[in-house]
Amino acid sequence: MSIDPRSYTYGDDVLKGRIILVSGSSDGIGKALARHAASLGAQVILHGRSVPKLEKIYDAIEKIDGAPRPSIAVMDLESANAESYTTLAQSIESEFGRLDGLVHNASILGERYSIEQYDAVVWQKVMHVNVTAAFALTQVFLPLLNQSEDPSVIFTSSGVGRTGKAFWGAYAVSKFATEGLSQVLADEHRHGKLRSNCINPGATRTNMRLAAYPAEDRDQLKRPEDILAPYIYLLGPDSRGVTGESFDAQ
Ligand code: NDP
């Protein structure tokens, strides 16, 4: 019987002992996921570019009863070079020796302009942070994921990454590419244990959503905490064998 990840229910220790890196865990969905995963027993590696924001979430996790103490990985995905990636992977290898979950959550919105008016420099930046950085993180972490008994990679997609929509520019195109990257990775590992899937969070009350839709009634939107079940499903043991798929969180 297949599970609907949106209504997945799980025990308090479903992620116990798993080492999970969430990119962009300083805010929004990534922050909520990092906290929740820690409360379910995961050893979370908090990735982001802002030390003060990461320290705040670190402190919040430290206060959760029984949650393993998290780690902080500071790296700006816009400016990181090959050495930054290698150093990050080496530090996780020496601390943990493996990685069980990698959640590509960090993204930027870029501009809301037509293709005709879209700034080429902004285009490149969005593609770099949203796609190239996810590729680079995946590549550098694959040896550590291969050390896991049950490795899971999650990419974050969007509705505009499945059907193109006017004025969503590089963001939409980056999300199509994200779906493609997840599928290519899944197919390359189809005979192995690593699974790779996409989640489209759907409209969620975060700063990115506010930037995209400044006039909407935010109270009508789901909070990041409300949409996490599919992430927990894909990070935990019940999704073994599920790969190459794209799920909606709402
Ligand atoms: P937020 O803008 O709230 O959070 C984005 C996160 O990414 C922040 O932690 C941010 O860090 C981090 N980030 C951005 N740029 C960089 C960078 N250069 N280096 C390191 N970290 C960076 O967005 P959401 O929580 O809304 O979005 C999370 C994911 O969900 C994204 O992939 C988004 O595309 C996707 N999504 C969101 C939807 C929504 O309605 N909210 C709908 C569909 C998809 P910092 O705190 O420093 O800014």
Side-chain angles (χ1 to χ4, degrees):
M1 194 181 69
S2 67
I3 290 175
D4 179 349
R6 290 169 296 190
S7 47
Y8 177 59
T9 54
Y10 41 90
D12 289 347
D13 61 353
V14 67
L15 299 182
K16 190 169 180 195
R18 290 186 186 236
I19 299 151
I20 294 171
L21 185 141
V22 181
S23 81
S25 50
S26 55
D27 215 331
I29 296 165
K31 180 167 86 173
L33 175 61
R35 276 180 72 136
H36 190 46
S39 78
L40 298 171
Q43 166 71 59
V44 177
I45 302 164
L46 304 164
H47 161 267
R49 60 184 165 177
S50 159
V51 174
K53 285 174 95 171
L54 290 172
E55 283 178 346
K56 237 171 134 181
I57 159 86
Y58 179 100
D59 290 345
I61 290 175
E62 269 215 306
K63 289 189 188 119
I64 301 172
D65 227 10
R69 180 173 294 170
S71 300
I72 287 183
V74 186
M75 193 169 88
D76 188 330
L77 298 175
E78 199 184 325
S79 55
N81 56 24
E83 199 188 333
S84 331
Y85 283 98
T86 307
T87 305
L88 177 60
Q90 281 170 348
S91 73
I92 292 173
E93 181 173 23
S94 64
E95 196 172 348
F96 302 111
R98 66 170 209 280
L99 193 60
D100 303 303
L102 173 58
V103 184
H104 295 293
N105 163 79
S107 275
I108 52 173
L109 184 63
E111 296 176 337
R112 298 287 313 282
Y113 284 128
S114 66
I115 295 296
E116 190 175 15
Q117 293 173 314
Y118 209 98
D119 184 273
V121 174
V122 177
W123 181 282
Q124 220 166 6
K125 184 170 139 180
V126 172
M127 296 303 286
H128 186 81
V129 171
N130 296 6
V131 186
T132 309
F135 150 74
L137 279 174
T138 305
Q139 189 178 60
V140 82
F141 285 140
L142 270 173
L144 288 171
L145 288 160
N146 284 329
Q147 293 303 315
S148 168
E149 284 298 303
D150 188 26
S152 175
V153 181
I154 298 175
F155 291 87
T156 311
S157 179
S158 165
V160 298
R162 295 185 188 150
T163 305
K165 210 169 161 192
F167 311 120
W168 280 83
Y171 179 82
V173 174
S174 77
K175 294 301 184 180
F176 272 89
T178 297
E179 295 262 357
L181 176 54
S182 176
Q183 286 180 23
V184 169
L185 184 68
D187 200 40
E188 286 173 358
H189 290 265
R190 65 192 178 282
H191 301 305
K193 55 195 174 174
L194 184 135
R195 59 186 175 281
S196 172
N197 295 282
C198 271
I199 295 178
N200 163 26
T204 310
R205 201 187 307 167
T206 67
N207 288 336
M208 182 185 286
R209 179 75 191 184
L210 179 64
Y213 295 96
E216 82 182 336
D217 179 1
R218 282 168 70 73
D219 292 342
Q220 301 301 314
L221 297 173
K222 295 266 192 205
R223 300 169 309 151
E225 294 77 10
D226 302 328
I227 60 150
L228 298 178
Y231 291 87
I232 305 306
Y233 169 65
L234 289 175
L235 288 169
D238 292 325
S239 60
R240 270 179 203 235
V242 175
T243 193
E245 300 209 25
S246 194
F247 296 98
D248 289 321
Q250 299 186 42

